[in-house]
Amino acid sequence: MIADDRTILLNRIDRALDDVRPFLKVDGGGVEVVDVTDQMVARVRWMGNCQTCSMSAMTMKAGIEAAIKHKIPEITSVEAVSDEYHLETVGV
């Protein structure tokens, strides 16, 4: 994927997440976009209380993935990644 296309897609994913962020914020949590793969898998990172929430798997499928796929149908799936993945991708 070309860098400009990736940047545009990451911005679209971030905007799609704006639909669910208020619900996560109520419980002290959040989500941020980390990456999108060439296979069109969006990678996100849980923030705040969402990192340890027992409902995060259900929220991922019913909330996060649904919101992203609704606005960006070319995304094939969404997966959560750890802080360690994020640090590796930015070269730390």
Side-chain angles (χ1 to χ4, degrees):
M1 184 180 317
I2 299 170
D4 288 342
D5 292 341
R6 182 175 305 249
T7 299
I8 291 167
L9 190 53
L10 288 169
N11 287 331
R12 289 178 62 203
I13 295 167
D14 192 55
R15 286 193 311 271
L17 290 173
D18 286 343
D19 292 343
V20 296
R21 283 187 173 116
F23 301 103
L24 301 174
K25 190 174 182 176
V26 166
D27 292 325
V31 64
E32 71 176 355
V33 182
V34 175
D35 193 16
V36 63
T37 70
D38 291 337
Q39 295 76 32
M40 301 303 284
V41 176
R43 292 186 171 144
V44 300
R45 182 173 69 91
W46 291 117
M47 298 167 53
N49 288 339
C50 291
Q51 294 173 337
T52 57
C53 179
S54 63
M55 300 298 289
S56 64
M58 184 166 55
T59 302
M60 176 62 76
K61 289 295 176 192
I64 305 299
E65 188 169 82
I68 291 173
K69 286 177 143 184
H70 175 74
K71 300 244 174 142
I72 312 160
E74 59 265 36
I75 294 296
T76 59
S77 66
V78 179
E79 62 184 32
V81 296
S82 65
D83 287 335
E84 290 79 25
Y85 171 86
H86 180 66
L87 294 175
E88 289 171 16
T89 60
V90 295
V92 176

